[in-house]
Amino acid sequence: MIQQTKATTKSRQAILDRLLGTEVIGPGLPTVDPNQLIHFEDPVAKFIEVLATVGGQAHVVDDLRQIGEILAKLPVYSQAKRVVSLVPEAVPSSFDLAAIDDPHALASLDWTIAKGEFPVAENGAIWVQGETMPHRVLLFIAQYLAIVVSRSQMVHNLHEAYARIGTPKSPFGVFVSGPSKTADIEQSLVLGAHGCRELQVFLTP
């Protein structure tokens, strides 16, 4: 949608009015040949490989109970005091999230255990639907993040991913791939500057 801008001079306003009245027809989106899209012989293995290259770690589990067992072996989890789990059948929360109205109260959150909709083998990302998040900040404010997602829902590439998303059901949704990373001009890489320090992904059946 084009927003009208109020010019400070008559000549400028005349130019803006002419631009506003000019219809610009775009070239349209290209037609994608499905046969040209990348596919992997073993998409789960590819997902694990790509996720590792961006700093994440994947675990193939056959039972939800294994998730808690694997997390318990991590010092940053066993020592955590504030854990929010949106997958309570796998890992319990350490406090009642329903009692939190102000997202700022989550500033000291150690872990978020979130539920993903589907993983993408091509880039090691997981689509997280916003409607599963009581507070969208949960994905970004926790020191550590774990996502539980079914490997049976794996798609090969982003074309398949966006086709599957279609018209989003929620005004918020996000692809998550690896921990937060940023680097300055001195090439000093910092993890966790804008989000989680570590990402653990659990691929369930």
Side-chain angles (χ1 to χ4, degrees), residues 18-193:
R18 290 186 64 183
L19 289 173
L20 192 62
T22 302
E23 183 180 2
V24 179
I25 301 176
L29 297 175
T31 300
V32 177
D33 180 359
N35 296 322
Q36 298 297 317
L37 300 180
I38 189 168
H39 283 75
F40 304 99
E41 184 175 341
D42 187 343
V44 173
K46 187 64 180 180
F47 173 85
I48 294 172
E49 174 192 338
V50 176
L51 182 66
T53 63
V54 296
Q57 187 174 11
H59 309 270
V60 177
V61 297
D62 294 322
D63 191 306
L64 291 178
R65 289 174 296 183
Q66 293 177 262
I67 297 174
E69 295 170 0
I70 294 172
L71 286 174
K73 295 178 182 176
L74 303 176
V76 291
Y77 182 83
S78 61
Q79 298 170 9
K81 296 180 179 178
R82 303 194 77 202
V83 177
V84 166
S85 175
L86 304 177
V87 194
E89 61 273 29
V91 180
S93 295
S94 64
F95 63 96
D96 184 10
L97 182 61
I100 302 293
D101 293 327
D102 183 358
H104 293 89
L106 298 167
S108 60
L109 189 62
D110 294 311
W111 278 85
T112 293
I113 316 297
K115 181 180 181 182
E117 295 301 311
F118 61 86
V120 185
E122 180 181 26
N123 63 351
I126 305 104
W127 174 253
V128 179
Q129 193 75 21
E131 60 189 5
T132 65
M133 309 296 298
H135 298 287
R136 63 180 64 177
V137 74
L138 285 169
L139 286 176
F140 313 107
I141 202 167
Q143 294 291 323
Y144 304 94
L145 177 63
I147 299 178
V148 181
V149 63
S150 171
R151 57 184 183 269
S152 68
Q153 302 300 311
M154 183 83 64
V155 298
H156 290 262
N157 53 66
L158 281 172
H159 288 278
E160 293 180 357
Y162 281 109
R164 176 163 175 171
I165 294 170
T167 302
K169 301 175 184 176
S170 166
F172 173 70
V174 64
F175 283 109
V176 178
S177 180
S180 165
K181 296 178 284 295
T182 189
D184 59 20
I185 197 169
E186 296 180 349
Q187 300 183 345
S188 176
L189 180 64
V190 178
L191 299 180

Side-chain angles (χ1 to χ4, degrees), residues 1-4 19-20 22:
M1 180 177 179
I2 299 176
Q3 294 183 340
Q4 292 195 11
L19 289 173
L20 192 62
T22 302

